Amino acid sequence: MNFSKFFLTAALCTAAFAPSFAAAQTPAPQAQDATPEALAEAYENGRWSRAIMLAEELLKAEPENANYLTILGVAATNISEFERAEGVFEKVQTLRPDDALAWLNLCGVRGKLKRDNTIETCLKASEKNPENAALWQLIGQEYENAKRMDEARDAYLKAYQLDPKNLSYLTAVTAIDFSRKDYDKALEMTEKAIEGGNDNVILYLNAIVAANRTGAHEKALALADRGYERYHDPQMMLGKAEALNGLHRFEEAIPIWKTQLAEVKNNHQNYPRIQYGCARALIATACTEADSATCGGSSENDCCARERQALELLTVAKDHTSLRKIAPEFDEYLGLAYILNGKLEDAEAVLTAAQTNDIEKNSAGAPAALAVALSHFSDEQDRRAAQSYYLKAADASQDVRDADRFVSVRAWPPRFAQDLKKLQASSAKDTAKPKSGCGCEIAATRQPAAPVTVLLGVLLSLFALVTLRRKSC
């Protein structure tokens, strides 16, 4: 009898078999029942316990029959007896060292047992099974578990090249690209798959996100419209709103954001992302200086409500760590929302913490926003600090000196450009003042203060800062 048709890659896909077979109560076979035909029938019907007993009975007469051993190993795998299966497959591999299936099964079961030599075994199996895409996926998973991401990506890519219709291989590749923020690669591969006929809702969603994160907002918008027409998936409208934000078409984006807020449940994983995107659009369309004067009055402008809603949304979303991974500039805009709503001390606290990180990243957003916040205090010391942070921001990015452009690019409220211009002018004026010569000489000859005196001075200055009540202009 030819057993070759039964030698499946069960060790690689044990979940495909119902676990109820393992629990079935099968009478112990009599010696006369143990025939190759009975073993084949048990295998075909997934009666794993019976297959094991029949194989054991047959192996008493032929202990080195590789066919019987292979079925025994596969059956043991399907009832999660992985260590037993490993020993059986090792024996098969010894009997048939060049057998492709023997290496494949040994790879699969060692992967289940998380053996140190799993990758080595699986690579050997790939030499014997060069066209097996599922094997390359398993190798990719093993590399990924070992944090060898370059090799994992190469293995997943190999699987996808062998079976380009299997989208799980493609998304395994692009998931690594996303984790590395290599969105260009993810977008290129996903777009190519869509254009090649793999028209799938997941591919559209991934392509839209990747396009937005690369700044290809026009492309993201086109993908969102095309994908939504085909699949009517609400997440595509989220991608469309983000694309409109990226294109600074905020008036078009806001109705979509508000629909998303109404339709997506508060506990949905995308809800913080919606809150943040909507708040960004609301901040960008905040009040002008003249309109802001109406806020709180009996006939306030509609923009006042937008400013309040922006702060409400960001205040609720601020504790979501997953959001901060995709929006590292979150605190910058939370600070701006605090400023718009007159909560200057809250703005100062958030932006003081954020500006250190931004300076390290050579980003001017948070320090520039902190400079604006401090410029609204009436105390002269705060105004001086505002100038200092303005100069830090300008050192991080020369764009800060073109206030209108800086505000426009970062989608800040336009009225904050005037604050930056005032800070630029006052900083330039202070820089132009002549310095006193005697002050420099005194500073050069002054003896260092005693440590106790220095500590006392610091404590006094801290006390003064804590007790000083500051008022906004």
Side-chain angles (χ1 to χ4, degrees), residues 208-209 212 217 220-226 228 234-247 249 252-253 256-257 260 273:
I208 293 165
V209 171
N212 273 325
H217 301 301
L221 188 60
L223 284 164
D225 284 336
R226 178 178 160 191
Y228 189 77
Q235 290 191 69
M236 292 180 185
M237 295 307 292
L238 167 56
K240 179 174 182 175
E242 288 179 330
L244 290 169
N245 269 18
L247 294 168
R249 290 160 59 178
E252 295 174 66
I256 301 175
W257 285 122
Q260 291 278 304
R273 185 173 150 200

Side-chain angles (χ1 to χ4, degrees), residues 59 63-64 69 86-96:
L59 284 164
E64 294 191 347
L69 285 167
E86 181 184 29
V88 172
F89 290 140
E90 285 174 345
K91 186 171 182 179
V92 174
Q93 190 271 328
T94 301
L95 293 169
R96 293 176 172 173

Side-chain angles (χ1 to χ4, degrees), residues 126-141:
S126 72
E127 294 174 9
K128 308 293 183 182
N129 300 270
E131 302 302 313
N132 191 313
L135 174 57
W136 279 104
Q137 183 186 39
L138 178 61
I139 293 170
Q141 290 168 348

Side-chain angles (χ1 to χ4, degrees), residues 152-182:
R153 188 183 188 279
D154 289 343
Y156 290 139
L157 183 58
K158 179 70 173 178
Y160 179 59
Q161 290 168 341
L162 288 168
D163 186 4
K165 293 297 182 184
N166 191 319
L167 299 184
S168 68
Y169 303 152
L170 170 61
T171 54
V173 176
T174 56
I176 292 177
D177 293 335
F178 269 93
S179 70
R180 293 170 159 181
K181 299 185 179 180
D182 198 344

